Amino acid sequence: MRFGLLGTGHWAAETHAAALAAHPVAELAGVWGRDRSKARALADRYGTRAHPDADALIADVDAVAIALPPDIQSPLAERAALAGRHLLLDKPLAFTTEEADRVVRAVDQRSLASVVFFTRRFTVPVETFLQEAAAAGGWDGGRVTCFASIFQPGSRYHGSRWRRERGGLWDVGPHALSVLLPVLGPVAEVTALDGPRGAAHVLLRHHSGAVGTLALTLDARPAAQAFSADFYGERGTVALPDADTTAVAAFATAVDRLLSRARDGGAADPCDVRFGREVVAVLEAADRSRREGRTAVPR
């Protein structure tokens, strides 16, 4: 399958392009970026072609991988899907449920395969744990803390405008929800408030009756950086295992899963655009809750 890569930043170059170029079946058939010089440099690095515009790249491939800010990703994903291209997208899928819905409709209209890349969900230890935890049931709640510190001098994401504007809720929040939702189920209500250093503290009431809690920031003090996730219930407290792999290897697994769905059809991927849309709905409700000072319901 011929993949086109939309995006030229660090994540696009070091994860998406690296995994696609090394994949035994997929082919990195072209690159497009808003900065043409960066697109040419990235294409040269991986021995492929830089396309002059996004539509030219979409027309030349079977699938697209997108590593761009969510508000740029979602309209490009919709265009690619309407053109009949399978989608391998980054998280979050979009910044609004309306934008996410347009992508879902385009995928459904053309009966396409889709995968949204929540990194930990494409590692064997984590995916096995989540499947077993969901099957076991009996959970009263789950907790995820993600304190990153990406705005320090020298950080590869120091200049990311959308991450500065949207914060940890929208950048690491999708990762947190990607492990809570498969075990605790859909979210009924969300309450969120702002904390120091751009933190978002989120309380989720799931339809199952379980309660999820999130603590998220991209601007933690360097000494306070941490990631932890656990579930508690009738079996005690159980921690999410380490992913035990690299981002490139996880992305290669995402490529494998997209290829399998595109080739064989069958059930949608657990991390398809519909799941991506569910994550966006919860994030949107949390954003609304923290701004308005009241509980919000995902749309």
Side-chain angles (χ1 to χ4, degrees):
M1 181 177 288
R2 290 166 54 81
F3 277 79
L5 173 59
L6 301 164
T8 59
H10 173 78
W11 190 244
E14 304 304 328
T15 301
H16 288 230
L20 286 167
H23 198 277
V25 178
E27 176 190 351
L28 178 57
V31 174
W32 172 83
R34 292 169 290 172
D35 185 322
R36 290 192 176 187
S37 63
K38 288 183 178 180
R40 286 193 296 269
L42 184 58
D44 289 346
R45 174 180 171 184
Y46 287 105
T48 189
R49 174 188 171 196
H51 285 66
D53 59 70
D55 289 319
L57 176 58
I58 290 169
D60 194 40
V61 297
D62 307 304
V64 295
I66 305 182
L68 288 164
D71 55 337
I72 298 173
Q73 169 175 255
S74 56
L76 286 171
E78 181 186 14
R79 280 157 59 183
L82 290 173
R85 307 308 182 242
H86 304 292
L87 302 181
L88 180 45
L89 307 177
D90 227 311
K91 58 79 208 163
L93 170 59
F95 280 142
T96 69
T97 51
E98 290 81 6
E99 293 166 346
D101 283 338
R102 287 197 288 270
V103 178
V104 171
R105 283 194 297 268
V107 167
D108 288 347
Q109 180 181 326
R110 299 301 301 269
S111 300
L112 300 169
S114 66
V115 168
V116 180
F117 185 51
F118 302 91
T119 311
R120 287 180 177 82
R121 291 295 306 276
F122 296 87
T123 66
V124 172
V126 171
E127 194 68 357
T128 300
F129 172 90
L130 295 177
Q131 291 172 7
E132 292 176 349
W139 303 107
D140 298 322
R143 301 167 290 210
V144 181
T145 296
C146 189
F147 288 168
S149 185
I150 72 168
F151 300 132
Q152 299 299 311
S155 167
R156 298 181 180 96
Y157 301 105
H158 184 270
S160 175
R161 182 178 300 175
W162 78 265
R163 289 179 174 87
R164 283 192 178 273
E165 292 175 352
R166 298 283 181 154
L169 177 66
W170 285 93
D171 187 31
V172 293
H175 290 304
L177 290 171
S178 77
V179 298
L180 280 187
L181 294 177
V183 177
L184 303 184
V187 172
E189 294 180 341
V190 183
T191 304
L193 56 84
D194 295 327
R197 304 189 69 83
H201 296 271
V202 184
L203 191 66
L204 311 169
R205 185 173 68 80
H206 296 258
H207 284 287
S208 64
V211 172
T213 57
L214 312 177
L216 313 161
T217 187
L218 297 178
D219 195 26
R221 300 180 191 277
Q225 295 181 79
F227 175 83
S228 65
D230 60 36
F231 297 89
Y232 54 91
E234 62 186 32
R235 293 166 184 79
T237 300
V238 183
L240 188 77
D242 292 336
D244 196 28
T245 191
T246 65
V248 172
F251 194 82
T253 298
V255 174
D256 290 337
R257 282 167 48 171
L258 185 77
L259 291 171
S260 176
R261 264 73 183 180
R263 181 182 62 244
D264 303 328
D269 191 90
C271 294
D272 69 351
V273 291
R274 287 189 176 276
F275 181 74
R277 192 266 186 212
E278 181 181 0
V279 168
V280 169
V282 177
L283 296 173
E284 187 181 52
D287 217 355
R288 194 163 62 249
S289 172
R290 70 176 185 81
R291 286 186 285 102
E292 298 177 359
R294 60 186 179 88
T295 296
V297 176
R299 293 169 176 162

